[in-house]
Amino acid sequence: MADLSNLAGLGSEPSGQIDSSVSSASNRSLRLAEKEKRKGEADPFGLAVKYLSQVEAGTVVRGNDELERNMVRVETVALSKGLPPEVITVLLDLALSLNAGTANCTRVLKFLIPATVVPQEAIVKGVSWLCVGKMPMNAQVLFVRWVLTVFDLIDCKDDLRSIYGFIFSFVTEENLCPFICHLLYLLTMREHGELMTKWFNFFGRQPFLTQLLALYKVFRPDLVTLSLPSRVRTGFKNHNSTWKVALSAVQRKNKGAVLVDQSLSLDVKEKPSSRKRKLHHLAIPPLTSAFDSNSSKKVLRLQELRSFKELLENIHNIELPAQMGSLLGSALALHYLDCVQDESAFLRLNFWLGHSLQEEFLLCPVDGSSDNTSEACRFLSTILFSQQFLQEGFSSTESFLYKFLSVWDGCLLRPQILDLLSDIPLMPSFYMHKLLFEPLKQLYFTSTVFFKCSVIECLNSMLVKWLTWHSVSASEGGLDISLNSNSSMTMTLSGFMDSVMELVRFVGLLASEGLRLESCHVLLLNQTLAFYETVCDMFLKFSLPLIIMPPAGVFYPALFATDSVSVDRLGYIMYRYRKNLTLAKKQEQQREQTFHISRNTYKEFNRNLQAMVNSMWNSWWCVPGSDIEIDKDLIALSKVAEPWCRFDLIHHPALFSYAIEFHQRTGKYWNWYMEFLFNQGFYGLNNFIQTNTGHGSTLNSQEDGQPKSQP
């Protein structure tokens, strides 16, 4: 029995060990399960993504609480923090495969907000789902709109360009065509130049097709034989309204992670009741390459350049950036744009710029707060810097200004808007009245004197740039003047003269009425005279055979001004007019020029010259038959002694203080007074008097060796 008991004891020992090991394994499993449970509770988003990645075709959607719960969980994170790249891939595949149903497809696409970048392979796979043809049309349109919205966040675009033909095949879909054309416009490169012409004839001259065809014509003009308007209006509309609010919120929270296209970078006001979208974030995108760093193409990124020498050495290996707006923030990029003169680059840049200005300033007007205004000011200043660097304006900026002038209040961003306005290129005269003169006239006559001064200064700057452009064309021997270096439009010399004449006459009208309304304000008068300092020298300085005299509403306020600077400037202007007219007359007599100065111009000059000489030198400003003839009885009522000499070089209100000072210091000799007066810095008056009377600042014509007394 003892042996048996021993045997029993031997047999029972292993059984206890087995029970212990089983219990230990069970406890380990429970601990792991508990750990996973706690992990799941700590990371519900990860579990939700995992669940959604395992949803298969045929899954019941209606009444599926688990699917709904996980969908809400992912949607909440997406709208608050954005989604990482790998989750974008999972959710895009879930949506486009329709495994979770058509309704959830649209739902997922609407909250597909990237936190950083969008993986290229996700977009490529999405295009493959388009090719399957399972999705309803509204889902297909929404997908392509989403791609356009996040286009600048796609990490690389090489593979997308490799399936260009597949994307192009959807041009035949009428509902998809506008969005596909926009996507193709962003993807098109030189090798994609043989696909478009037949579809243009099929659909007709739709704006989006015309825009794309204009880009193709740049790359392959031999294939695109259709005539296109020289200025193609923007044919692509904004498609980012569905995602704009969420993208803005995510961008604010993930500062510095990635910069979205400026047109998407809009903050949203706290007040949802406001129907106007307010501009809060305007930033030039950073330079980013459109190619993968591992790409086999031998290209150099613009952001890798450090000097102008490197730019010249690699000028043929440089690829344009993914976001054309980034060119505006880099001097080297602008050098490259100016050197290569790539028309496709200007097309893309003008499209981006035109869309941004339209979206941010016309559709979403700045609300006037200091943050918004300063941000918009920096953005417009960057555009101004780029235009001044390239020495010409962008066509998209020009189109924007014509629209903006009709809604502008004259106060918002005034310096930047007027500086941009001065960069407007030459235009035919029949466009000027409607696009430029009418809106400016309404603002001018209803604004302060300081705004009036700013407008005159702006138009003076515009005239100088037009004349400079003409002088360059004239020096190159061209009879036709190119309106822009990136435009095929030209203008004949007579057409150019008509445009300049309209501009000068318009400023003359503004100045005359403005001086009358503002009681000949000294600042406005001096800005006006600065403009006519440009006008009086158009023939000599800019080789333009056109001389236009200032109207009476400008000439006489300057002649009878109470400040000496205005009178001196008028003297200089009349002196330069005489120089220009003398040379023009000489060339006409020698038959050296085709265009002739009008006889009326000579008559106007002689009339103004006579009035000025009579007033300041001959002491007889009120000559019978002149423009300023005043009835003698009316003059007598003023009870002014010797009224006829009140505007000579001694008694003129602008010079009388100098005459008193001279009399107190020296005496009464006329030549000494002339010397004293012109040594005060009145070089304009000195030249005018010396040219028209033979007297100047030096003591001449002394027959008896003594200074002459006043005549």
Side-chain angles (χ1 to χ4, degrees):
M1 292 296 292
D3 294 338
L4 289 173
S5 64
N6 290 336
L7 289 172
L10 290 170
S12 63
E13 187 175 352
S15 176
Q17 291 177 355
I18 291 172
D19 291 341
S20 177
S21 63
V22 170
S23 176
S24 176
S26 177
N27 291 336
R28 190 183 306 112
S29 298
L30 289 173
R31 288 196 304 271
L32 290 174
E34 186 68 23
K35 186 177 180 181
E36 288 294 326
K37 183 179 179 180
R38 288 197 301 268
K39 183 179 178 182
E41 292 175 352
D43 185 21
F45 175 71
L47 285 180
V49 172
K50 183 178 180 181
Y51 173 84
L52 294 177
S53 67
Q54 296 172 352
V55 174
E56 297 179 353
T59 300
V60 177
V61 177
R62 180 173 296 180
N64 191 335
D65 294 337
E66 188 176 6
L67 174 63
E68 177 64 20
R69 183 171 58 255
N70 288 291
M71 193 75 76
V72 169
R73 196 169 286 167
V74 173
E75 183 176 8
T76 303
V77 174
L79 296 177
S80 61
K81 300 179 181 179
L83 300 171
E86 61 275 9
V87 177
I88 292 282
T89 303
V90 170
L91 293 180
L92 195 59
D93 188 57
L94 170 69
L96 302 185
S97 65
L98 301 183
N99 287 349
T102 304
N104 281 325
C105 169
T106 304
R107 178 181 178 182
V108 170
L109 286 173
K110 286 183 178 180
F111 70 70
L112 212 57
I113 307 299
T116 53
V117 296
V118 176
Q120 179 181 215
E121 58 269 16
I123 308 296
V124 174
K125 193 171 184 180
V127 175
S128 69
W129 280 116
L130 275 184
C131 296
V132 171
K134 289 173 55 179
M135 286 186 292
M137 182 54 64
N138 64 330
Q140 294 182 42
V141 170
L142 190 62
F143 167 66
V144 180
R145 284 179 55 207
W146 177 79
V147 174
L148 290 171
T149 300
V150 301
F151 184 83
D152 296 314
L153 303 180
I154 301 174
D155 54 3
C156 179
K157 302 178 179 68
D158 283 352
D159 293 343
L160 270 178
R161 289 190 170 92
S162 66
I163 60 169
Y164 188 93
F166 289 96
I167 299 174
F168 188 88
S169 65
F170 291 99
V171 172
T172 56
E173 297 288 344
E174 186 174 356
N175 294 327
L176 273 178
C177 186
F179 311 101
I180 291 295
C181 285
H182 192 172
L183 181 58
L184 292 173
Y185 187 93
L186 297 174
L187 292 173
T188 297
M189 301 188 70
R190 294 189 181 277
E191 56 266 28
H192 304 133
E194 305 181 6
L195 298 171
M196 186 61 191
T197 309
K198 59 179 181 180
W199 298 116
F200 187 80
N201 292 325
F202 181 74
F203 284 109
R205 291 181 177 268
Q206 298 289 347
F208 45 87
L209 289 169
T210 305
Q211 192 81 32
L212 183 58
L213 193 64
L215 183 59
Y216 281 148
K217 190 167 185 177
V218 171
F219 293 133
R220 295 299 302 272
D222 56 320
L223 296 178
V224 183
T225 57
L226 296 170
S227 60
L228 295 173
S230 57
R231 293 186 180 183
V232 181
R233 70 180 182 89
T234 301
F236 303 128
K237 298 180 180 179
N238 177 32
H239 313 301
N240 61 11
S241 56
T242 305
W243 301 272
K244 180 185 295 183
V245 175
L247 274 170
S248 302
V250 169
Q251 185 179 4
R252 287 197 303 272
K253 291 182 180 179
N254 303 334
K255 288 181 179 178
V258 64
L259 280 176
V260 190
D261 179 0
Q262 159 200 329
S263 60
L264 309 178
S265 305
L266 299 179
D267 284 344
V268 179
K269 280 289 186 182
E270 296 293 331
K271 301 176 182 178
S273 59
S274 177
R275 297 185 61 188
K276 288 186 177 180
R277 295 163 291 173
K278 302 299 183 182
L279 176 151
H280 277 258
H281 185 81
L282 279 170
I284 301 299
L287 281 170
T288 55
S289 176
F291 290 92
D292 189 359
S293 57
N294 298 321
S295 174
S296 58
K297 296 186 178 182
K298 295 182 179 180
V299 296
L300 187 68
R301 297 180 181 88
L302 273 170
Q303 63 266 31
E304 295 175 355
L305 298 177
R306 294 293 178 268
S307 66
F308 186 69
K309 181 180 179 182
E310 287 184 19
L311 174 68
L312 293 179
E313 291 173 351
N314 300 278
I315 193 74
H316 299 296
N317 298 324
I318 295 175
E319 190 60 43
L320 290 172
Q323 177 51 269
M324 290 301 294
S326 60
L327 293 175
L328 300 178
S330 168
L332 278 176
L334 291 173
H335 270 302
Y336 172 74
L337 194 64
D338 193 36
C339 289
V340 297
Q341 288 293 312
D342 188 346
E343 193 171 346
S344 65
F346 279 99
L347 273 174
R348 289 179 57 195
L349 180 57
N350 275 305
F351 168 73
W352 179 88
L353 192 56
H355 170 76
S356 301
L357 291 169
Q358 168 94 3
E359 176 71 14
E360 311 301 354
F361 291 91
L362 294 175
L363 300 181
C364 311
V366 182
D367 60 9
S369 65
S370 58
D371 292 340
N372 296 344
T373 303
S374 61
E375 203 161 12
C377 177
R378 287 193 297 270
F379 178 71
L380 294 180
S381 297
T382 303
I383 298 176
L384 276 168
F385 165 77
S386 302
Q387 292 190 160
Q388 291 167 1
F389 188 95
L390 298 172
Q391 297 185 4
E392 62 180 311
F394 298 115
S395 60
S396 53
T397 309
E398 179 187 357
S399 301
F400 156 74
L401 286 172
Y402 295 147
K403 298 175 184 177
F404 188 70
L405 281 178
S406 61
V407 297
W408 188 36
D409 61 358
C411 296
L412 181 66
L413 303 168
R414 180 193 298 170
Q416 290 75 28
I417 295 299
L418 290 178
D419 283 345
L420 286 173
L421 199 63
S422 69
D423 284 339
I424 285 181
L426 182 67
M427 72 179 85
S429 57
F430 51 84
Y431 288 135
M432 295 172 67
H433 284 278
K434 181 179 179 180
L435 298 176
L436 185 63
F437 293 168
E438 288 304 322
L440 269 183
K441 189 188 298 182
Q442 294 178 13
L443 288 169
Y444 181 88
F445 289 124
T446 57
S447 299
T448 65
V449 65
F450 302 104
F451 179 79
K452 292 180 173 68
C453 293
S454 299
V455 170
I456 300 296
E457 182 183 17
C458 164
L459 296 177
N460 186 24
S461 177
M462 181 190 296
L463 177 62
V464 170
K465 291 170 185 176
W466 287 11
L467 293 172
T468 304
W469 191 263
H470 159 74
S471 63
V472 171
S473 300
S475 65
E476 294 175 353
L479 293 178
D480 291 343
I481 302 165
S482 174
L483 303 187
N484 192 295
S485 65
N486 298 298
S487 172
S488 58
M489 292 184 66
T490 58
M491 181 183 291
T492 62
L493 180 56
S494 59
F496 175 78
M497 291 171 62
D498 288 340
S499 296
V500 172
M501 191 181 302
E502 289 296 323
L503 178 60
V504 174
R505 287 176 176 172
F506 175 68
V507 174
L509 170 65
L510 293 184
S512 299
E513 290 300 314
L515 289 169
R516 182 181 64 82
L517 293 173
E518 301 295 343
S519 302
C520 297
H521 196 284
V522 64
L523 291 179
L524 182 58
L525 180 58
N526 273 275
Q527 284 294 347
T528 303
L529 293 175
F531 176 80
Y532 279 98
E533 284 179 359
T534 302
V535 174
C536 70
D537 256 339
M538 291 192 298
F539 185 71
L540 272 175
K541 284 189 177 180
F542 302 101
S543 303
L544 183 67
L546 179 65
I547 299 176
I548 305 174
M549 298 300 298
V554 172
F555 176 78
Y556 287 107
L559 177 60
F560 300 136
T562 57
D563 67 295
S564 57
V565 175
S566 298
V567 176
D568 183 61
R569 294 185 87 164
L570 180 64
Y572 173 78
I573 289 170
M574 292 299 293
Y575 164 71
R576 295 306 301 175
Y577 268 123
R578 182 183 178 110
K579 287 284 186 182
N580 281 259
L581 286 168
T582 302
L583 180 62
K585 189 70 174 178
K586 181 179 179 181
Q587 291 188 2
E588 285 180 12
Q589 293 173 349
Q590 297 175 354
R591 298 180 180 180
E592 293 181 1
Q593 64 181 44
T594 306
F595 293 87
H596 299 279
I597 306 300
S598 170
R599 288 184 176 272
N600 290 331
T601 303
Y602 290 102
K603 290 180 180 179
E604 286 183 45
F605 171 77
N606 288 330
R607 185 165 59 247
N608 291 344
L609 178 64
Q610 183 182 13
M612 194 166 179
V613 170
N614 283 336
S615 299
M616 305 194 76
W617 188 259
N618 295 332
S619 300
W620 187 254
W621 61 274
C622 185
V623 179
S626 66
D627 292 340
I628 53 174
E629 181 180 2
I630 301 177
D631 187 79
K632 292 182 179 179
D633 296 334
L634 187 61
I635 295 177
L637 292 176
S638 66
K639 298 181 180 180
V640 175
E642 299 181 341
W644 53 86
C645 65
R646 290 299 120 184
F647 293 98
D648 60 20
L649 289 174
I650 296 176
H651 301 93
H652 196 291
L655 306 174
F656 192 57
S657 61
Y658 295 97
I660 293 176
E661 181 182 356
F662 169 77
H663 182 73
Q664 292 174 345
R665 284 186 180 184
T666 310
K668 62 179 182 178
Y669 293 109
W670 174 250
N671 282 0
W672 286 3
Y673 172 67
M674 294 283 291
E675 186 77 22
F676 168 80
L677 183 64
F678 295 137
N679 283 340
Q680 304 303 310
F682 297 124
Y683 303 113
L685 273 178
N686 181 27
N687 289 328
F688 174 80
I689 296 296
Q690 189 172 21
T691 302
N692 293 286
T693 67
H695 294 77
S697 61
T698 58
L699 299 177
N700 49 17
S701 303
Q702 301 178 24
E703 295 178 356
D704 54 359
Q706 297 293 327
K708 295 183 179 180
S709 60
Q710 180 182 348

